[in-house]
Amino acid sequence: QGQLAESGGGLAQAGGSLRLSCLASGSIFRRATMGWYRQAPGKERELVATSTSGGDTNYADFVKGRFTLSRDNARNAVSLQMNGLRPEDTAVYYCYGAFAGRTYWGQGTQVTVSS
């Protein structure tokens, strides 16, 4: 069993930066794929970035070069540094974990980018 707790997010201007953090409880997350998804109003939840336990990182095309996913397995933590924010990045961002066929989600944190 495990839980994911997000922090960070908030309001930023276009071109600005925000940092999201996620702390996982439960040792399984050291072996899990972890990362971030987001969901904008009226849209489906979409992948932002994920990292395997071995450190292989995958980014959605729309964040490449702007967002950086970092993982600290010793702390069971994953963070998302978001630079060059755009109004279309406005969404609820969810911490994500997947292990042994099971998916875990955080409660979500709102990111709003003004133009």
Side-chain angles (χ1 to χ4, degrees), residues 50-58:
T50 59
S51 172
T52 67
S53 59
D56 292 327
T57 305
N58 176 48

Side-chain angles (χ1 to χ4, degrees), residues 23-96:
L23 191 62
S25 62
S27 60
I28 61 170
F29 290 105
R30 297 180 183 180
R31 294 171 286 168
T33 292
M34 294 189 68
W36 296 88
Y37 278 66
R38 71 185 188 186
Q39 188 166 19
K43 295 187 177 181
E44 294 187 351
R45 193 171 295 188
E46 60 184 358
L47 180 146
V48 176
T50 59
S51 172
T52 67
S53 59
D56 292 327
T57 305
N58 176 48
Y59 292 97
D61 287 343
F62 54 77
V63 302
K64 285 181 179 177
R66 300 189 298 127
F67 292 10
T68 302
L69 180 70
S70 299
R71 179 169 181 159
D72 185 344
N73 285 336
R75 294 180 58 244
N76 278 359
V78 63
S79 60
L80 185 69
Q81 178 65 41
M82 304 185 292
N83 299 328
L85 285 164
R86 304 167 181 168
E88 53 264 39
D89 293 320
T90 295
V92 177
Y93 284 70
Y94 295 91
C95 185
Y96 161 87

Side-chain angles (χ1 to χ4, degrees), residues 11-15 85-88 90 112-115:
L11 179 64
Q13 291 186 334
L85 285 164
R86 304 167 181 168
E88 53 264 39
T90 295
T112 302
V113 184
S114 61
S115 58

